[in-house]
Amino acid sequence: MTDHKTDRYSLLNLARKALRGHEDWKPVWRNPAPKPRYDVVIIGGGGHGLATAYYLAKVHGITNVAVLEKGWLGGGNTGRNTTIVRSNYLLPANTRLYDFSLKLWEGLSEELNYNVMFSQRGVLTLTHGVSELTAQMRLGNAMRLAGVDARVMNLDEIAREVPLLDCSDQVRYPIVGGMLQERGGTARHDAVAWGYARAADARGVDIIQNCEVTGIRREDGKVTGVETSRGFIAAPKIGICVAGNSGVLAEMAGLRLPMESHVLQAMVTEPVKPVLDKVIISRAWHFYISQSDKGELVMGADLDGYNSYAQRGGPNVIDHVVRGCLELFPAFGRLKMMRTWGGIMDMTMDGSPIIGKMPLGGLYLNGGWCYGGFKATPGAAWTFAHTIANDAPHEINAPFSLDRFASGRTLDERGSGPFPWLH
Ligand code: FAD
């Protein structure tokens, strides 16, 4: 994939196709009609759905699988997120899940033979007060004890490594230090969906776009299949991976989830030359920023605070993000904002995901990702595939069961992570 011969071939190929009007590209996955029956149906063609199908085929040899997507692959949160990948968590269950995922990210381009542009540029969480710094040090110590990298940085180091950041004391929240996870970074979101799609298709998985699930049939306490906009499809096992629509799908199976749907917005500026080589998060400002490979500055903040299924939000959040950006990076005031958009977040009551069996035979859920499911894509999907194949959780996802909300074994980080308002 990355050797020079291949690169030269790709460039020549690209030039040849461009001269022919880009008309003779071969699709990289098939476009099959749905079969009447599958061993497993996965609902949702985002990163989690596609990766689950891939690991079902690759790790468990289950290839009679369909991924049903109501729109286009990656058109949900996978293609709308700000692509931060990290594993800086306090609770052991979260550390295990997210660091397992990070290790899979580290080999993902090779695994899929598809460049997902994973860039371990480092995720720096700024602290704006001594108590915040102490809390980050506690988090960093917990991470190191769990074998995860973490480094506390003082103000001088930060000023040296992020020269455009305003490290003076002439601001509302002067920076006092920060915590860096060097192995954290970003990836190209669409490539993750496309890479998993191509690899799953190559192993025999049917990827069916424009196929909306409208009902879940059940009999004697078990699922029997799904009603879709393209007819009924029978399946003894159904995996739901629909992010902000988890509650809607669960309702089709007669279940209510401890989850709400909210909009989360992000935005990008016009592209510029490389100016920022880390992901920067400010807890006090509820703000984060990184620079994409195209050169755009990618920014995000907190939820729009009302329930919604719209994939767009209000101007108050945009205003807040821009204020945070200008306070931290005054030089970015000269940039033009290019685009804003939103995605539907599946918010659980403890801020942690649900990855496991549902109280209906053959039904499984991977959802409740709140703000942070992109980074979990490889690891969560791997454990979800294990759960579906064995009808039992793997030890990594066992703590993320639905029944933790009934038993009281909830997984609440209590704002210890890089984002005080989220996980
Ligand atoms: P999705 O990618 O949303 O896929 C679900 C799919 O299900 C969709 O394509 C949808 O069309 C389909 N679907 C829904 N209903 C049906 C139906 N009835 N029938 C068939 N198909 C259906 N996470 C991070 O880790 N780092 C970040 O920096 C980050 N930033 C974010 C910024 C924003 C603005 C947003 C919106 C999210 C962010 N996230 C981030 C969260 C992350 O994007 C999600 O948690 C993750 O992408 C969820 O992936 P998924 O595959 O579960 O869902």
Side-chain angles (χ1 to χ4, degrees), residues 317-364:
V317 172
I318 300 170
D319 180 72
H320 176 94
V321 170
V322 172
R323 279 169 199 271
C325 176
L326 297 189
E327 177 95 358
L328 294 168
F329 293 96
F332 294 167
R334 300 179 70 98
L335 295 176
K336 293 191 184 69
M337 191 62 80
M338 208 166 62
R339 282 196 315 278
T340 70
W341 65 90
I344 313 166
M345 314 310 295
D346 34 344
M347 309 299 295
T348 57
M349 299 300 117
D350 63 358
S352 293
I354 299 167
I355 319 166
K357 292 171 65 163
M358 292 289 101
L360 182 64
L363 188 66
Y364 308 86

mmCIF file of all heavy atoms in Angstrom, residues 317-364:
data_model
loop_
_atom_site.group_PDB
_atom_site.id
_atom_site.type_symbol
_atom_site.label_atom_id
_atom_site.label_comp_id
_atom_site.label_asym_id
_atom_site.label_seq_id
_atom_site.Cartn_x
_atom_site.Cartn_y
_atom_site.Cartn_z
ATOM 1 N N VAL A 317 -23.994 27.624 19.463
ATOM 2 C CA VAL A 317 -22.825 26.748 19.632
ATOM 3 C C VAL A 317 -21.686 27.204 18.726
ATOM 4 O O VAL A 317 -20.509 27.227 19.129
ATOM 5 C CB VAL A 317 -23.206 25.267 19.360
ATOM 6 C CG1 VAL A 317 -21.979 24.380 19.344
ATOM 7 C CG2 VAL A 317 -24.192 24.778 20.418
ATOM 8 N N ILE A 318 -22.036 27.621 17.525
ATOM 9 C CA ILE A 318 -21.000 28.103 16.595
ATOM 10 C C ILE A 318 -20.312 29.328 17.212
ATOM 11 O O ILE A 318 -19.082 29.432 17.219
ATOM 12 C CB ILE A 318 -21.636 28.468 15.230
ATOM 13 C CG1 ILE A 318 -22.318 27.232 14.635
ATOM 14 C CG2 ILE A 318 -20.589 29.027 14.272
ATOM 15 C CD1 ILE A 318 -23.170 27.506 13.422
ATOM 16 N N ASP A 319 -21.122 30.227 17.771
ATOM 17 C CA ASP A 319 -20.585 31.433 18.400
ATOM 18 C C ASP A 319 -19.624 31.062 19.541
ATOM 19 O O ASP A 319 -18.529 31.596 19.664
ATOM 20 C CB ASP A 319 -21.777 32.253 18.937
ATOM 21 C CG ASP A 319 -21.335 33.523 19.614
ATOM 22 O OD1 ASP A 319 -20.906 34.429 18.903
ATOM 23 O OD2 ASP A 319 -21.399 33.591 20.863
ATOM 24 N N HIS A 320 -20.034 30.071 20.343
ATOM 25 C CA HIS A 320 -19.208 29.646 21.473
ATOM 26 C C HIS A 320 -17.864 29.076 20.987
ATOM 27 O O HIS A 320 -16.798 29.389 21.547
ATOM 28 C CB HIS A 320 -19.972 28.591 22.291
ATOM 29 C CG HIS A 320 -19.185 28.032 23.412
ATOM 30 N ND1 HIS A 320 -19.255 28.535 24.688
ATOM 31 C CD2 HIS A 320 -18.268 27.028 23.452
ATOM 32 C CE1 HIS A 320 -18.426 27.867 25.452
ATOM 33 N NE2 HIS A 320 -17.819 26.942 24.736
ATOM 34 N N VAL A 321 -17.929 28.266 19.937
ATOM 35 C CA VAL A 321 -16.701 27.645 19.418
ATOM 36 C C VAL A 321 -15.744 28.728 18.910
ATOM 37 O O VAL A 321 -14.532 28.702 19.201
ATOM 38 C CB VAL A 321 -17.046 26.644 18.279
ATOM 39 C CG1 VAL A 321 -15.790 26.176 17.567
ATOM 40 C CG2 VAL A 321 -17.806 25.461 18.844
ATOM 41 N N VAL A 322 -16.282 29.686 18.178
ATOM 42 C CA VAL A 322 -15.425 30.730 17.606
ATOM 43 C C VAL A 322 -14.787 31.567 18.719
ATOM 44 O O VAL A 322 -13.601 31.899 18.657
ATOM 45 C CB VAL A 322 -16.242 31.609 16.623
ATOM 46 C CG1 VAL A 322 -15.432 32.810 16.165
ATOM 47 C CG2 VAL A 322 -16.669 30.770 15.423
ATOM 48 N N ARG A 323 -15.572 31.849 19.771
ATOM 49 C CA ARG A 323 -14.993 32.604 20.901
ATOM 50 C C ARG A 323 -13.826 31.839 21.533
ATOM 51 O O ARG A 323 -12.765 32.401 21.810
ATOM 52 C CB ARG A 323 -16.037 32.816 21.998
ATOM 53 C CG ARG A 323 -16.971 33.946 21.734
ATOM 54 C CD ARG A 323 -18.126 33.890 22.727
ATOM 55 N NE ARG A 323 -19.237 34.659 22.251
ATOM 56 C CZ ARG A 323 -19.408 35.951 22.502
ATOM 57 N NH1 ARG A 323 -18.550 36.594 23.249
ATOM 58 N NH2 ARG A 323 -20.436 36.602 22.018
ATOM 59 N N GLY A 324 -14.035 30.536 21.753
ATOM 60 C CA GLY A 324 -12.967 29.714 22.349
ATOM 61 C C GLY A 324 -11.734 29.709 21.466
ATOM 62 O O GLY A 324 -10.594 29.844 21.934
ATOM 63 N N CYS A 325 -11.964 29.579 20.167
ATOM 64 C CA CYS A 325 -10.853 29.529 19.204
ATOM 65 C C CYS A 325 -10.050 30.828 19.258
ATOM 66 O O CYS A 325 -8.813 30.803 19.338
ATOM 67 C CB CYS A 325 -11.415 29.300 17.803
ATOM 68 S SG CYS A 325 -10.163 29.346 16.543
ATOM 69 N N LEU A 326 -10.759 31.949 19.249
ATOM 70 C CA LEU A 326 -10.044 33.240 19.195
ATOM 71 C C LEU A 326 -9.322 33.548 20.496
ATOM 72 O O LEU A 326 -8.270 34.184 20.495
ATOM 73 C CB LEU A 326 -11.016 34.363 18.833
ATOM 74 C CG LEU A 326 -11.653 34.215 17.453
ATOM 75 C CD1 LEU A 326 -12.430 35.455 17.080
ATOM 76 C CD2 LEU A 326 -10.597 33.926 16.392
ATOM 77 N N GLU A 327 -9.884 33.088 21.609
ATOM 78 C CA GLU A 327 -9.222 33.319 22.889
ATOM 79 C C GLU A 327 -7.894 32.539 22.942
ATOM 80 O O GLU A 327 -6.876 33.051 23.390
ATOM 81 C CB GLU A 327 -10.144 32.857 24.032
ATOM 82 C CG GLU A 327 -9.545 32.967 25.400
ATOM 83 C CD GLU A 327 -9.905 34.260 26.139
ATOM 84 O OE1 GLU A 327 -10.601 35.117 25.572
ATOM 85 O OE2 GLU A 327 -9.471 34.384 27.292
ATOM 86 N N LEU A 328 -7.932 31.312 22.440
ATOM 87 C CA LEU A 328 -6.730 30.470 22.517
ATOM 88 C C LEU A 328 -5.758 30.746 21.372
ATOM 89 O O LEU A 328 -4.539 30.682 21.544
ATOM 90 C CB LEU A 328 -7.127 28.985 22.499
ATOM 91 C CG LEU A 328 -7.911 28.509 23.721
ATOM 92 C CD1 LEU A 328 -8.509 27.133 23.463
ATOM 93 C CD2 LEU A 328 -7.026 28.469 24.953
ATOM 94 N N PHE A 329 -6.308 30.990 20.173
ATOM 95 C CA PHE A 329 -5.475 31.171 18.982
ATOM 96 C C PHE A 329 -5.870 32.484 18.288
ATOM 97 O O PHE A 329 -6.580 32.463 17.275
ATOM 98 C CB PHE A 329 -5.683 30.005 18.006
ATOM 99 C CG PHE A 329 -5.191 28.688 18.493
ATOM 100 C CD1 PHE A 329 -6.054 27.792 19.114
ATOM 101 C CD2 PHE A 329 -3.860 28.314 18.330
ATOM 102 C CE1 PHE A 329 -5.599 26.562 19.567
ATOM 103 C CE2 PHE A 329 -3.395 27.087 18.773
ATOM 104 C CZ PHE A 329 -4.269 26.210 19.404
ATOM 105 N N PRO A 330 -5.438 33.635 18.806
ATOM 106 C CA PRO A 330 -5.869 34.919 18.224
ATOM 107 C C PRO A 330 -5.563 34.996 16.724
ATOM 108 O O PRO A 330 -6.340 35.592 15.973
ATOM 109 C CB PRO A 330 -5.058 35.955 19.011
ATOM 110 C CG PRO A 330 -4.612 35.251 20.254
ATOM 111 C CD PRO A 330 -4.567 33.792 19.973
ATOM 112 N N ALA A 331 -4.473 34.359 16.282
ATOM 113 C CA ALA A 331 -4.099 34.465 14.861
ATOM 114 C C ALA A 331 -5.155 33.857 13.944
ATOM 115 O O ALA A 331 -5.255 34.244 12.771
ATOM 116 C CB ALA A 331 -2.758 33.764 14.620
ATOM 117 N N PHE A 332 -5.960 32.929 14.456
ATOM 118 C CA PHE A 332 -6.960 32.291 13.587
ATOM 119 C C PHE A 332 -8.136 33.222 13.289
ATOM 120 O O PHE A 332 -9.028 32.882 12.511
ATOM 121 C CB PHE A 332 -7.460 30.976 14.198
ATOM 122 C CG PHE A 332 -6.396 29.906 14.285
ATOM 123 C CD1 PHE A 332 -6.601 28.762 15.056
ATOM 124 C CD2 PHE A 332 -5.201 30.028 13.598
ATOM 125 C CE1 PHE A 332 -5.622 27.780 15.143
ATOM 126 C CE2 PHE A 332 -4.214 29.057 13.675
ATOM 127 C CZ PHE A 332 -4.421 27.934 14.451
ATOM 128 N N GLY A 333 -8.141 34.390 13.917
ATOM 129 C CA GLY A 333 -9.192 35.372 13.655
ATOM 130 C C GLY A 333 -9.216 35.830 12.205
ATOM 131 O O GLY A 333 -10.218 36.356 11.738
ATOM 132 N N ARG A 334 -8.142 35.595 11.477
ATOM 133 C CA ARG A 334 -8.108 36.034 10.070
ATOM 134 C C ARG A 334 -8.677 34.968 9.124
ATOM 135 O O ARG A 334 -8.790 35.197 7.926
ATOM 136 C CB ARG A 334 -6.667 36.349 9.673
ATOM 137 C CG ARG A 334 -6.062 37.455 10.515
ATOM 138 C CD ARG A 334 -4.636 37.700 10.107
ATOM 139 N NE ARG A 334 -4.597 38.319 8.782
ATOM 140 C CZ ARG A 334 -4.470 39.601 8.583
ATOM 141 N NH1 ARG A 334 -4.355 40.415 9.600
ATOM 142 N NH2 ARG A 334 -4.435 40.102 7.364
ATOM 143 N N LEU A 335 -9.006 33.796 9.670
ATOM 144 C CA LEU A 335 -9.491 32.710 8.798
ATOM 145 C C LEU A 335 -10.996 32.820 8.567
ATOM 146 O O LEU A 335 -11.729 33.295 9.430
ATOM 147 C CB LEU A 335 -9.201 31.350 9.447
ATOM 148 C CG LEU A 335 -7.729 31.000 9.595
ATOM 149 C CD1 LEU A 335 -7.585 29.677 10.326
ATOM 150 C CD2 LEU A 335 -7.092 30.910 8.228
ATOM 151 N N LYS A 336 -11.426 32.316 7.417
ATOM 152 C CA LYS A 336 -12.878 32.277 7.132
ATOM 153 C C LYS A 336 -13.429 30.916 7.554
ATOM 154 O O LYS A 336 -12.814 29.880 7.284
ATOM 155 C CB LYS A 336 -13.117 32.473 5.641
ATOM 156 C CG LYS A 336 -12.750 33.848 5.157
ATOM 157 C CD LYS A 336 -13.263 34.047 3.727
ATOM 158 C CE LYS A 336 -12.834 35.379 3.177
ATOM 159 N NZ LYS A 336 -11.371 35.470 2.923
ATOM 160 N N MET A 337 -14.599 30.937 8.174
ATOM 161 C CA MET A 337 -15.274 29.681 8.505
ATOM 162 C C MET A 337 -15.903 29.157 7.211
ATOM 163 O O MET A 337 -16.524 29.919 6.470
ATOM 164 C CB MET A 337 -16.350 29.956 9.557
ATOM 165 C CG MET A 337 -16.927 28.717 10.171
ATOM 166 S SD MET A 337 -15.701 27.758 11.044
ATOM 167 C CE MET A 337 -15.601 28.659 12.578
ATOM 168 N N MET A 338 -15.709 27.849 6.957
ATOM 169 C CA MET A 338 -16.168 27.341 5.668
ATOM 170 C C MET A 338 -17.465 26.547 5.772
ATOM 171 O O MET A 338 -18.374 26.714 4.973
ATOM 172 C CB MET A 338 -15.079 26.471 5.063
ATOM 173 C CG MET A 338 -15.109 26.437 3.581
ATOM 174 S SD MET A 338 -13.589 25.748 2.918
ATOM 175 C CE MET A 338 -13.591 24.108 3.565
ATOM 176 N N ARG A 339 -17.550 25.638 6.741
ATOM 177 C CA ARG A 339 -18.723 24.757 6.839
ATOM 178 C C ARG A 339 -19.016 24.449 8.291
ATOM 179 O O ARG A 339 -18.097 24.336 9.109
ATOM 180 C CB ARG A 339 -18.420 23.391 6.204
ATOM 181 C CG ARG A 339 -18.460 23.315 4.722
ATOM 182 C CD ARG A 339 -18.528 21.864 4.236
ATOM 183 N NE ARG A 339 -17.612 20.943 4.904
ATOM 184 C CZ ARG A 339 -16.338 20.783 4.600
ATOM 185 N NH1 ARG A 339 -15.796 21.517 3.659
ATOM 186 N NH2 ARG A 339 -15.599 19.911 5.239
ATOM 187 N N THR A 340 -20.299 24.252 8.617
ATOM 188 C CA THR A 340 -20.672 23.688 9.919
ATOM 189 C C THR A 340 -21.667 22.566 9.638
ATOM 190 O O THR A 340 -22.329 22.559 8.599
ATOM 191 C CB THR A 340 -21.357 24.719 10.842
ATOM 192 O OG1 THR A 340 -22.648 24.998 10.308
ATOM 193 C CG2 THR A 340 -20.570 25.998 10.953
ATOM 194 N N TRP A 341 -21.758 21.624 10.553
ATOM 195 C CA TRP A 341 -22.699 20.512 10.372
ATOM 196 C C TRP A 341 -22.966 19.899 11.744
ATOM 197 O O TRP A 341 -22.330 20.281 12.736
ATOM 198 C CB TRP A 341 -22.121 19.459 9.410
ATOM 199 C CG TRP A 341 -20.903 18.785 9.949
ATOM 200 C CD1 TRP A 341 -20.862 17.657 10.710
ATOM 201 C CD2 TRP A 341 -19.536 19.211 9.798
ATOM 202 N NE1 TRP A 341 -19.558 17.351 11.042
ATOM 203 C CE2 TRP A 341 -18.731 18.283 10.498
ATOM 204 C CE3 TRP A 341 -18.921 20.279 9.146
ATOM 205 C CZ2 TRP A 341 -17.348 18.405 10.568
ATOM 206 C CZ3 TRP A 341 -17.539 20.383 9.218
ATOM 207 C CH2 TRP A 341 -16.773 19.462 9.908
ATOM 208 N N GLY A 342 -23.887 18.942 11.783
ATOM 209 C CA GLY A 342 -24.176 18.271 13.055
ATOM 210 C C GLY A 342 -24.400 16.786 12.855
ATOM 211 O O GLY A 342 -24.654 16.322 11.734
ATOM 212 N N GLY A 343 -24.303 16.052 13.924
ATOM 213 C CA GLY A 343 -24.603 14.619 13.912
ATOM 214 C C GLY A 343 -25.465 14.298 15.121
ATOM 215 O O GLY A 343 -25.516 15.084 16.080
ATOM 216 N N ILE A 344 -26.155 13.164 15.075
ATOM 217 C CA ILE A 344 -27.068 12.808 16.178
ATOM 218 C C ILE A 344 -26.339 11.897 17.163
ATOM 219 O O ILE A 344 -25.901 10.800 16.799
ATOM 220 C CB ILE A 344 -28.322 12.071 15.660
ATOM 221 C CG1 ILE A 344 -28.905 12.806 14.453
ATOM 222 C CG2 ILE A 344 -29.371 11.981 16.762
ATOM 223 C CD1 ILE A 344 -29.911 11.965 13.702
ATOM 224 N N MET A 345 -26.218 12.389 18.388
ATOM 225 C CA MET A 345 -25.453 11.658 19.393
ATOM 226 C C MET A 345 -26.372 10.802 20.248
ATOM 227 O O MET A 345 -27.446 11.238 20.651
ATOM 228 C CB MET A 345 -24.725 12.644 20.312
ATOM 229 C CG MET A 345 -24.017 13.745 19.589
ATOM 230 S SD MET A 345 -22.977 13.120 18.278
ATOM 231 C CE MET A 345 -21.805 12.204 19.224
ATOM 232 N N ASP A 346 -25.908 9.601 20.546
ATOM 233 C CA ASP A 346 -26.662 8.646 21.363
ATOM 234 C C ASP A 346 -26.116 8.724 22.791
ATOM 235 O O ASP A 346 -25.162 8.044 23.141
ATOM 236 C CB ASP A 346 -26.546 7.229 20.781
ATOM 237 C CG ASP A 346 -25.201 6.926 20.127
ATOM 238 O OD1 ASP A 346 -24.437 7.876 19.830
ATOM 239 O OD2 ASP A 346 -24.895 5.740 19.919
ATOM 240 N N MET A 347 -26.757 9.579 23.608
ATOM 241 C CA MET A 347 -26.235 9.880 24.946
ATOM 242 C C MET A 347 -26.823 8.926 25.995
ATOM 243 O O MET A 347 -28.039 8.916 26.205
ATOM 244 C CB MET A 347 -26.594 11.319 25.336
ATOM 245 C CG MET A 347 -26.230 12.378 24.308
ATOM 246 S SD MET A 347 -24.489 12.481 23.938
ATOM 247 C CE MET A 347 -23.838 13.018 25.502
ATOM 248 N N THR A 348 -25.967 8.170 26.668
ATOM 249 C CA THR A 348 -26.444 7.303 27.757
ATOM 250 C C THR A 348 -26.399 8.074 29.077
ATOM 251 O O THR A 348 -25.778 9.135 29.173
ATOM 252 C CB THR A 348 -25.564 6.053 27.915
ATOM 253 O OG1 THR A 348 -24.228 6.484 28.137
ATOM 254 C CG2 THR A 348 -25.636 5.143 26.707
ATOM 255 N N MET A 349 -26.998 7.479 30.088
ATOM 256 C CA MET A 349 -27.112 8.178 31.369
ATOM 257 C C MET A 349 -25.802 8.214 32.150
ATOM 258 O O MET A 349 -25.622 9.049 33.029
ATOM 259 C CB MET A 349 -28.204 7.520 32.233
ATOM 260 C CG MET A 349 -29.578 7.546 31.607
ATOM 261 S SD MET A 349 -30.165 9.210 31.286
ATOM 262 C CE MET A 349 -30.331 9.234 29.523
ATOM 263 N N ASP A 350 -24.869 7.296 31.868
ATOM 264 C CA ASP A 350 -23.578 7.367 32.558
ATOM 265 C C ASP A 350 -22.447 7.786 31.612
ATOM 266 O O ASP A 350 -21.274 7.791 31.993
ATOM 267 C CB ASP A 350 -23.238 6.044 33.257
ATOM 268 C CG ASP A 350 -23.076 4.879 32.286
ATOM 269 O OD1 ASP A 350 -23.265 5.083 31.072
ATOM 270 O OD2 ASP A 350 -22.754 3.759 32.742
ATOM 271 N N GLY A 351 -22.790 8.100 30.374
ATOM 272 C CA GLY A 351 -21.775 8.584 29.439
ATOM 273 C C GLY A 351 -20.944 7.490 28.807
ATOM 274 O O GLY A 351 -20.027 7.775 28.033
ATOM 275 N N SER A 352 -21.209 6.241 29.119
ATOM 276 C CA SER A 352 -20.448 5.133 28.517
ATOM 277 C C SER A 352 -21.352 4.341 27.575
ATOM 278 O O SER A 352 -22.575 4.353 27.731
ATOM 279 C CB SER A 352 -19.898 4.209 29.612
ATOM 280 O OG SER A 352 -18.926 4.901 30.369
ATOM 281 N N PRO A 353 -20.743 3.636 26.628
ATOM 282 C CA PRO A 353 -21.554 2.940 25.622
ATOM 283 C C PRO A 353 -22.212 1.658 26.146
ATOM 284 O O PRO A 353 -21.879 1.176 27.238
ATOM 285 C CB PRO A 353 -20.513 2.584 24.557
ATOM 286 C CG PRO A 353 -19.241 2.454 25.318
ATOM 287 C CD PRO A 353 -19.304 3.489 26.392
ATOM 288 N N ILE A 354 -23.122 1.142 25.345
ATOM 289 C CA ILE A 354 -23.715 -0.181 25.598
ATOM 290 C C ILE A 354 -23.252 -1.075 24.450
ATOM 291 O O ILE A 354 -23.497 -0.759 23.281
ATOM 292 C CB ILE A 354 -25.263 -0.090 25.615
ATOM 293 C CG1 ILE A 354 -25.720 0.858 26.737
ATOM 294 C CG2 ILE A 354 -25.882 -1.473 25.767
ATOM 295 C CD1 ILE A 354 -27.188 1.262 26.644
ATOM 296 N N ILE A 355 -22.537 -2.145 24.788
ATOM 297 C CA ILE A 355 -22.067 -3.080 23.747
ATOM 298 C C ILE A 355 -22.429 -4.470 24.249
ATOM 299 O O ILE A 355 -21.720 -5.027 25.094
ATOM 300 C CB ILE A 355 -20.530 -3.033 23.547
ATOM 301 C CG1 ILE A 355 -20.007 -1.597 23.594
ATOM 302 C CG2 ILE A 355 -20.113 -3.714 22.261
ATOM 303 C CD1 ILE A 355 -18.485 -1.507 23.751
ATOM 304 N N GLY A 356 -23.528 -5.035 23.778
ATOM 305 C CA GLY A 356 -23.858 -6.355 24.293
ATOM 306 C C GLY A 356 -25.219 -6.848 23.873
ATOM 307 O O GLY A 356 -25.834 -6.341 22.932
ATOM 308 N N LYS A 357 -25.667 -7.864 24.631
ATOM 309 C CA LYS A 357 -26.929 -8.534 24.329
ATOM 310 C C LYS A 357 -28.096 -7.686 24.826
ATOM 311 O O LYS A 357 -27.997 -7.020 25.845
ATOM 312 C CB LYS A 357 -26.967 -9.879 25.061
ATOM 313 C CG LYS A 357 -25.961 -10.877 24.523
ATOM 314 C CD LYS A 357 -25.865 -12.113 25.389
ATOM 315 C CE LYS A 357 -27.164 -12.900 25.390
ATOM 316 N NZ LYS A 357 -26.971 -14.286 25.884
ATOM 317 N N MET A 358 -29.205 -7.753 24.112
ATOM 318 C CA MET A 358 -30.442 -7.089 24.535
ATOM 319 C C MET A 358 -31.362 -8.148 25.155
ATOM 320 O O MET A 358 -31.186 -9.353 24.906
ATOM 321 C CB MET A 358 -31.138 -6.458 23.328
ATOM 322 C CG MET A 358 -30.396 -5.290 22.720
ATOM 323 S SD MET A 358 -30.428 -3.819 23.767
ATOM 324 C CE MET A 358 -28.816 -3.876 24.503
ATOM 325 N N PRO A 359 -32.349 -7.710 25.930
ATOM 326 C CA PRO A 359 -33.237 -8.697 26.561
ATOM 327 C C PRO A 359 -34.262 -9.278 25.579
ATOM 328 O O PRO A 359 -35.446 -9.301 25.841
ATOM 329 C CB PRO A 359 -33.922 -7.887 27.675
ATOM 330 C CG PRO A 359 -33.785 -6.474 27.276
ATOM 331 C CD PRO A 359 -32.600 -6.345 26.391
ATOM 332 N N LEU A 360 -33.787 -9.693 24.415
ATOM 333 C CA LEU A 360 -34.616 -10.336 23.396
ATOM 334 C C LEU A 360 -33.647 -11.247 22.643
ATOM 335 O O LEU A 360 -32.596 -10.776 22.195
ATOM 336 C CB LEU A 360 -35.195 -9.248 22.466
ATOM 337 C CG LEU A 360 -36.131 -9.692 21.348
ATOM 338 C CD1 LEU A 360 -37.414 -10.316 21.929
ATOM 339 C CD2 LEU A 360 -36.534 -8.475 20.484
ATOM 340 N N GLY A 361 -34.001 -12.533 22.539
ATOM 341 C CA GLY A 361 -33.067 -13.493 21.939
ATOM 342 C C GLY A 361 -32.595 -13.050 20.557
ATOM 343 O O GLY A 361 -33.395 -12.648 19.715
ATOM 344 N N GLY A 362 -31.289 -13.095 20.318
ATOM 345 C CA GLY A 362 -30.738 -12.797 19.000
ATOM 346 C C GLY A 362 -30.578 -11.314 18.698
ATOM 347 O O GLY A 362 -30.166 -10.953 17.599
ATOM 348 N N LEU A 363 -30.878 -10.437 19.668
ATOM 349 C CA LEU A 363 -30.731 -8.997 19.414
ATOM 350 C C LEU A 363 -29.552 -8.445 20.211
ATOM 351 O O LEU A 363 -29.419 -8.717 21.413
ATOM 352 C CB LEU A 363 -32.013 -8.247 19.798
ATOM 353 C CG LEU A 363 -32.039 -6.768 19.382
ATOM 354 C CD1 LEU A 363 -32.062 -6.630 17.859
ATOM 355 C CD2 LEU A 363 -33.243 -6.043 19.979
ATOM 356 N N TYR A 364 -28.703 -7.652 19.531
ATOM 357 C CA TYR A 364 -27.478 -7.111 20.136
ATOM 358 C C TYR A 364 -27.395 -5.619 19.802
ATOM 359 O O TYR A 364 -27.821 -5.192 18.728
ATOM 360 C CB TYR A 364 -26.253 -7.831 19.560
ATOM 361 C CG TYR A 364 -26.356 -9.334 19.648
ATOM 362 C CD1 TYR A 364 -27.008 -10.053 18.636
ATOM 363 C CD2 TYR A 364 -25.851 -10.030 20.740
ATOM 364 C CE1 TYR A 364 -27.138 -11.428 18.720
ATOM 365 C CE2 TYR A 364 -25.979 -11.413 20.820
ATOM 366 C CZ TYR A 364 -26.622 -12.097 19.815
ATOM 367 O OH TYR A 364 -26.757 -13.458 19.893
#
